[in-house]
Amino acid sequence: MKINSIGLSLGKNNNENVHFKSDKAIYLCSSLASGFKPTREIPTIKDFITLNMNKALWHAAKIVKKGDFPYWNHSTWPKFLDDTKPEQRKMAMRACIDLVTRCDAVV
């Protein structure tokens, strides 16, 4: 998914270099799948995850536009970790806590 497909562009064109104005690392905290309840607008867990991923991308792009660097592990980790397996979930939670402690702020 391209950033501008969710209505936020990083600059005049998406090929220009982005320069970070600060050394701030921002941890983007958002739900991936927790709290799902089917509705007419969001009938499936897949739709709910897609909506949350789009929200996270939008917030990450805003953080970049401010010149800071976003971290949001839920955008990639579900591709190789299974949250339903206790050992993998435990590993992911430990890694999240470690990452949060390394960041300058949480959003």
Side-chain angles (χ1 to χ4, degrees):
M1 176 175 293
K2 296 178 183 172
I3 296 295
N4 63 359
S5 70
I6 57 172
L8 192 63
S9 173
L10 294 176
K12 293 178 185 172
N13 67 57
N14 286 332
N15 294 324
E16 74 181 46
N17 292 330
V18 175
H19 299 283
F20 295 102
K21 298 174 200 159
S22 75
D23 293 330
K24 283 178 77 176
I26 310 294
Y27 185 86
L28 180 55
C29 182
S30 68
S31 169
L32 183 61
S34 66
F36 171 70
K37 291 185 177 90
T39 65
R40 187 181 355 240
E41 295 81 21
I42 307 168
T44 68
I45 189 74
K46 184 177 178 184
D47 295 328
F48 187 71
I49 290 171
T50 299
L51 175 67
N52 286 337
M53 291 296 289
N54 285 340
K55 286 179 183 179
L57 284 169
W58 186 83
H59 286 287
K62 285 189 71 148
I63 290 168
V64 169
K65 283 188 82 144
K66 285 179 57 181
D68 297 326
F69 193 86
Y71 288 95
W72 74 104
N73 59 343
H74 57 278
S75 65
T76 54
W77 289 36
K79 297 188 185 331
F80 63 88
L81 290 177
D82 185 346
D83 199 46
T84 64
K85 295 181 179 174
E87 278 305 309
Q88 290 186 23
R89 179 170 175 71
K90 188 176 179 180
M91 181 178 65
M93 295 302 286
R94 279 194 313 260
C96 287
I97 291 167
D98 184 62
L99 184 55
V100 166
T101 63
R102 295 169 188 254
C103 288
D104 299 298
V106 176
V107 176

